[in-house]
Amino acid sequence: MKDEDLLRILKDSLSAYSPVKVDKNRIKISLQAETLHDVAEKIFSIGFNYLHTICATDYPDKQEFELNYIVGSMDDDKRNNIIMLVTRIPKSNPSLRTVSDVWKAAKLEEREEFEMLGVNFLGNDELQKLYLPEDWNEIPPLLKEYKLKRWVDEERNRHGLVIEKVEHEH
Amino acid sequence: MKITEFVKGFMISVNTGIQHLFRKRMTTMYPETQNYPTLDMYAYDPRKGIAVSGWRGRHYLDMTKCTGCQLCYIACENISEAIEMVPLPETNYPQNKKKIFPAVDYGRCVFCGFCVDACPFYALYMTPVAELSEYDRNDLYYSPYELSKPPAVNPTPRAKEKIDIKRGVYDER
Amino acid sequence: MNTSTNLQGLPGVFEEEVSPEGKLRVSFGPQHPGSGHMRIILTINGDIVEDAIPDVGYVHRGVEKMCEYKTYIQNIPHIERPAIHDSAGTTLPYILATEKLLDLSEKVPERAQYIRMLLAEMNRMINHFYFLGILGIFMGHSTVTTWGMGDRELLIETAAMMTGARVTFSFIVPGGVRTDTPHGFEERLLKSCDYLESRVKTYKDYLLENPFARMRMENVGIIKKEDAIAFGLAGPTLRGSGVKSDVRKDEPYLLYDTVEFDVPSYPEGDAMARTKVHIEEIQQSIAIIRQVVGKMKPGPVKIPLRGQIRGKIGDAYARVEGARGMNSYYIISDGQVYPYRVRVNTADSRNLAIMRRVLQGVRVADVPVVHWSLDYWPVAADR
Ligand code: SF4
Ligand code: SF4
């Protein structure tokens, strides 16, 4: 479906949220966290039934998380369209309602974002560790406060290796 | 599954198996034959910004061209930290005033070749030598002198590969 | 029957045990050669799997975090490592998203796009032959194993001629590809394609007609169409459930809109349907390669990028059809040399979502077949 047609449909059903076209086949809807579930149900009902991914991003200077819900469709005429729902939640209370009752695929994605950033999805009953080791007790690793240690240890200085001079053929 | 279907499918697959009795063996007898897809060196032309394809094996360092600019080191820094700049005060190359040269630790290198792409002075290449196994981990550390040895030309001839629809893929001896 | 997608729910220490009702709880993997780098905790009643909890994360390496500490170029070797079967299909969405951030998408030379397509299709075939090979092991059909590995070798060596590496190509870079095709590459590629096309028929005869292979694969691990969409499955798993979806057709990237090919799909949704999709896709890839080689004209293959590249402030989302399904990257850039956030979304991690549900009710001997036919590769899923 052409972006313009989709925008028209979206403007009819979601007039309060001002969808904008950001790129070819990409439509972005910025909204409040409280309304996210309603909008998710609405775009599901117009055919966006295939969740691609959920991406949470940490913005430490604003003390906010940004959440991107990237949704596609398996309806024959909307396969090329992608809608991104963008919302921001404060880091002091990082919780919002789950969308796993709308898209089943969201359960796993939400679980991963919970593990990696500590975003709490209310209503998702599986928010446990997934990829991190069981004994991981540091802060969630994708927060910007979590700094990578230099993975090169100091003793890398060649285990006391001596470089021998060899015959040079030039 | 009907019995006729079963028998028919069984015959078809047994027939396919029998046909394969008459095909040549696909296995390459390593190390007698070494089936390198290419024997060219991977090189980068900084003027054109395009590389020349070749096998990305161990590096070759041209010490007469290396200026010690450390760009290869910077390129590798976040990839695998395999390159280290080592001072070689005994060398005397006019273009290399700082007397530092790259050394590569093949215990870390992932053979991506982005160090070659970073070198602006045609000093670094990658050779088709990929058999680098050693008994001691420290032997995987190649000093600039070892890197600047020209790669040994592969003594065994490259297998002549035949791709034949009837007889399969095999090496012609 | 428990239908949630809960994956873990594990006690801290896992013990094999027999419940009073005679149900046995065993661990399938992580040392089992069939499970890959993961384990499945099976609850078995007699010969029937009552519950199967995938326990993943053994090979999680934090690619998303690492990407925030590296430049756009330095990320390339790292993001392709998780998916060694399909390194072109994994790097391609990253490169396409990066090019959007660099405003390069329109400028990439035509020949570079065609070379990317060649590499992507070769990689798809490499992955599919690998799929057939391992499927053979899991069914106890070791002939197909050696065939799959051998036929894959032909393409790997052809790819290595051009890229210089066997599996981790690091070949596609922002602005084009790293090298032009070497002398004799197209010729060898077409020859390999002719050979492999004759092999496709052999695989069909030997694997799809073989009554024993059919007994192992038909009607096991059935995924319904609605489930496949709702759980967000991707690739051959989705198409094996009757959804005719392929990113190459849905949202053509590179120059896929200039070539003709079919999207195979089968409505049955069982392991057999997924295997058929793989075999048909090999044939379609061969057709694409032939068309692309015919269309390629000499020309530049790369826009040289000078100095350190910086993405513009903003975000980009790109998706491609990798060998195992839709791979997509979402990159947020704040104008620095490092990306601000990279979200990696691989087909494998999506196919994981349904594993618990699809393994319930199958026989123990069918677990490896169903597990492998889902196109789930732990390393790419854990990222
Ligand atoms: S090939 Fe890659 S990993 Fe090896 S030294 Fe060069 S940049 Fe480092
Ligand atoms: S090899 Fe090239 S990049 Fe590395 S220090 Fe020498 S001149 Fe510089």
Side-chain angles (χ1 to χ4, degrees):
Chain A
M1 191 182 276
K2 289 229 178 64
D3 287 329
E4 289 69 35
D5 301 341
L6 183 61
L7 272 174
R8 210 171 303 123
I9 297 175
L10 286 175
K11 287 220 171 92
D12 288 347
S13 54
L14 295 167
S15 48
Y17 303 103
S18 68
V20 282
K21 177 179 169 177
V22 287
D23 196 356
K24 191 177 170 232
N25 292 335
R26 309 277 187 275
I27 285 173
K28 206 174 233 181
I29 307 177
S30 304
L31 35 83
Q32 298 294 317
E34 298 81 54
T35 55
L36 181 90
H37 194 273
D38 291 346
V39 178
E41 274 176 346
K42 281 217 180 85
I43 66 169
F44 182 83
S45 66
I46 58 172
F48 283 82
N49 52 3
Y50 188 75
L51 180 81
H52 287 194
T53 188
I54 299 173
C55 170
T57 315
D58 180 19
Y59 286 95
D61 42 346
K62 298 203 187 103
Q63 284 296 312
E64 276 178 338
F65 285 123
E66 187 185 87
L67 281 117
N68 268 275
Y69 292 70
I70 301 174
V71 192
S73 170
M74 278 297 148
D75 283 5
D76 286 339
D77 56 339
K78 298 193 202 70
R79 294 246 176 106
N80 58 337
N81 297 110
I82 287 169
I83 295 184
M84 301 183 185
L85 306 178
V86 188
T87 183
R88 290 211 173 210
I89 53 173
K91 260 173 107 170
S92 51
N93 177 25
S95 54
L96 79 170
R97 198 174 153 194
T98 174
V99 292
S100 58
D101 46 345
V102 185
W103 300 290
K104 284 181 186 150
K107 226 166 196 177
L108 202 60
E109 301 278 336
E110 287 180 348
R111 187 170 168 185
E112 195 185 336
E113 296 311 283
F114 164 78
E115 176 187 40
M116 295 296 172
L117 286 119
V119 183
N120 193 6
F121 293 92
L122 303 171
N124 187 337
D125 52 348
E126 292 173 6
L127 296 179
Q128 305 160 9
K129 287 228 178 76
L130 179 67
Y131 293 127
L132 293 180
E134 279 92 16
D135 53 357
W136 178 269
N137 48 21
E138 292 179 54
I139 57 170
L142 275 180
L143 293 177
K144 292 282 172 188
E145 294 104 78
Y146 183 83
K147 300 269 188 255
L148 283 192
K149 297 188 191 75
R150 295 294 290 169
W151 52 86
V152 181
D153 39 347
E154 296 305 320
E155 68 190 76
R156 178 169 167 258
N157 262 338
R158 293 302 138 230
H159 345 287
L161 226 113
V162 188
I163 300 167
E164 288 159 22
K165 192 170 174 175
V166 292
E167 195 62 27
H168 189 236
E169 303 152 50
H170 266 292
Chain B
M1 207 184 299
K2 278 198 231 83
I3 185 78
T4 49
E5 226 176 300
F6 184 97
V7 173
K8 186 169 159 252
F10 189 76
M11 297 310 285
I12 290 177
S13 42
V14 167
N15 185 23
T16 316
I18 289 173
Q19 279 172 15
H20 272 74
L21 290 176
F22 308 105
R23 290 171 84 99
K24 289 261 191 183
R25 200 157 65 169
M26 194 186 252
T27 322
T28 304
M29 304 308 276
Y30 181 85
E32 288 83 27
T33 53
Q34 292 179 354
N35 218 353
Y36 276 67
T38 171
L39 282 177
D40 299 333
M41 291 221 270
Y42 177 79
Y44 185 75
D45 189 344
R47 233 170 264 140
K48 289 198 204 122
I50 286 188
V52 183
S53 59
W55 186 260
R56 297 205 305 259
R58 90 144 164 88
H59 297 75
Y60 167 64
L61 173 70
D62 193 343
M63 281 173 96
T64 60
K65 290 198 180 133
C66 176
T67 60
C69 67
Q70 308 191 14
L71 282 180
C72 51
Y73 167 77
I74 292 166
C76 191
E77 199 176 17
N78 268 337
I79 296 176
S80 70
E81 317 254 345
I83 292 190
E84 191 179 48
M85 301 304 292
V86 290
L88 295 176
E90 71 274 18
T91 58
N92 196 8
Y93 291 105
Q95 87 284 5
N96 197 331
K97 295 270 174 345
K98 285 181 263 179
K99 301 194 187 213
I100 50 173
F101 292 91
V104 183
D105 181 356
Y106 286 107
R108 290 174 171 274
C109 179
V110 296
F111 301 98
C112 63
F114 283 118
C115 50
V116 179
D117 289 15
C119 178
F121 298 106
Y122 301 91
L124 208 55
Y125 301 87
M126 283 176 113
T127 65
V129 178
E131 282 128 352
L132 296 170
S133 44
E134 302 280 359
Y135 284 108
D136 186 350
R137 188 171 69 148
N138 290 349
D139 293 346
L140 287 171
Y141 179 80
Y142 277 53
S143 70
Y145 291 122
E146 284 168 278
L147 288 180
S148 65
K149 272 196 250 172
V153 180
N154 218 339
T156 44
R158 187 179 164 191
K160 290 208 191 79
E161 192 184 42
K162 280 262 181 270
I163 303 171
D164 189 321
I165 292 179
K166 289 261 160 49
R167 304 179 70 196
V169 181
Y170 59 97
D171 293 339
E172 205 174 47
R173 296 217 176 76
Chain C
M1 193 177 277
N2 191 338
T3 51
S4 87
T5 56
N6 188 351
L7 297 167
Q8 219 155 8
L10 275 181
V13 180
F14 170 76
E15 281 169 19
E16 308 206 334
E17 60 171 30
V18 187
S19 74
E21 308 95 72
K23 290 180 188 167
L24 181 65
R25 200 167 59 149
V26 289
S27 172
F28 178 85
Q31 310 89 338
H32 188 278
S35 69
H37 320 279
M38 71 173 303
R39 71 169 170 185
I40 310 174
I41 293 158
L42 300 173
T43 308
I44 301 167
N45 190 359
D47 194 17
I48 306 290
V49 175
E50 292 222 323
D51 197 3
I53 305 172
D55 179 12
V56 300
Y58 285 83
V59 275
H60 174 68
R61 52 181 102 187
V63 167
E64 291 178 9
K65 185 70 180 176
M66 284 206 299
C67 284
E68 295 171 11
Y69 282 75
K70 299 174 195 300
T71 63
Y72 286 95
I73 298 280
Q74 284 167 343
N75 276 332
I76 296 172
H78 285 275
I79 54 171
E80 73 178 358
R81 246 85 205 152
I84 53 160
H85 305 137
D86 186 22
S87 53
T90 319
T91 37
L92 198 49
Y94 171 79
I95 302 293
L96 293 180
T98 308
E99 278 173 354
K100 280 187 188 173
L101 288 172
L102 298 173
D103 283 331
L104 278 180
S105 309
E106 308 296 318
K107 297 182 202 145
V108 179
E110 191 189 75
R111 187 174 172 86
Q113 310 242 32
Y114 279 133
I115 294 178
R116 285 177 180 184
M117 276 165 73
L118 282 186
L119 196 64
E121 293 308 318
M122 280 158 75
N123 226 301
R124 190 183 314 281
M125 288 200 275
I126 289 171
N127 174 72
H128 287 359
F129 280 118
Y130 189 84
F131 172 91
L132 293 172
I134 302 291
L135 185 76
I137 291 192
F138 285 0
M139 287 193 306
H141 193 337
S142 48
T143 314
V144 170
T145 309
T146 49
W147 285 3
M149 294 298 165
D151 291 339
R152 173 175 177 263
E153 195 63 27
L154 201 63
L155 285 165
I156 285 185
E157 283 179 2
T158 313
M161 247 173 112
M162 175 166 73
T163 61
R166 282 169 53 88
V167 281
T168 48
F169 303 132
S170 301
F171 189 66
I172 304 170
V173 288
V177 292
R178 281 171 78 176
T179 72
D180 207 339
T181 53
H183 175 70
F185 171 79
E186 282 94 344
E187 194 191 338
R188 190 178 199 272
L189 181 58
L190 290 180
K191 235 182 186 178
S192 318
C193 282
D194 291 344
Y195 174 72
L196 292 173
E197 195 170 37
S198 73
R199 299 290 294 165
V200 169
K201 182 170 180 309
T202 321
Y203 280 99
K204 278 185 183 160
D205 285 352
Y206 211 50
L207 204 57
L208 305 184
E209 299 285 341
N210 191 335
F212 302 107
R214 281 178 61 185
M215 283 175 194
R216 291 298 305 276
M217 290 195 290
E218 274 175 0
N219 296 322
V220 300
I222 296 177
I223 302 174
K224 287 209 250 12
K225 187 174 174 179
E226 310 85 75
D227 281 350
I229 294 173
F231 281 91
L233 306 189
T237 315
L238 183 65
R239 293 193 279 279
S241 299
V243 187
K244 218 174 162 91
S245 160
D246 190 318
V247 184
R248 291 175 291 172
K249 285 269 191 220
D250 299 345
E251 192 191 358
Y253 53 97
L254 299 183
L255 295 169
Y256 275 111
D257 42 357
T258 65
V259 293
E260 279 167 28
F261 61 97
D262 281 345
V263 180
S265 99
Y266 291 90
E268 293 90 6
D270 54 3
M272 191 64 165
R274 297 194 276 275
T275 310
K276 279 184 194 161
V277 171
H278 279 92
I279 295 184
E280 293 286 336
E281 278 188 15
I282 294 174
Q283 215 150 23
Q284 297 306 324
S285 290
I286 292 172
I288 295 177
I289 284 179
R290 286 197 180 130
Q291 292 175 46
V292 169
V293 172
K295 279 171 196 279
M296 267 165 57
K297 290 188 205 74
V301 294
K302 190 179 169 192
I303 324 168
L305 300 173
R306 305 273 170 206
Q308 200 66 274
I309 58 174
R310 285 166 199 268
K312 66 174 183 215
I313 297 175
D315 57 351
Y317 179 71
R319 56 172 176 160
V320 310
E321 184 75 22
R324 285 155 183 270
M326 187 185 77
N327 294 328
S328 60
Y329 279 71
Y330 180 60
I331 304 181
I332 300 177
S333 155
D334 60 346
Q336 299 299 318
V337 291
Y338 305 136
Y340 188 77
R341 169 89 164 94
V342 179
R343 176 84 177 122
V344 189
N345 178 29
T346 53
D348 309 67
S349 67
R350 309 164 64 72
N351 290 342
L352 170 66
I354 206 163
M355 188 171 290
R356 184 175 187 181
R357 176 182 278 213
V358 84
L359 282 179
Q360 283 166 351
V362 305
R363 288 177 180 276
V364 177
D366 290 338
V367 171
V369 177
V370 176
H371 168 269
W372 185 253
S373 74
L374 281 179
D375 255 344
Y376 166 77
W377 173 245
V379 195
D382 287 2
R383 284 157 286 160

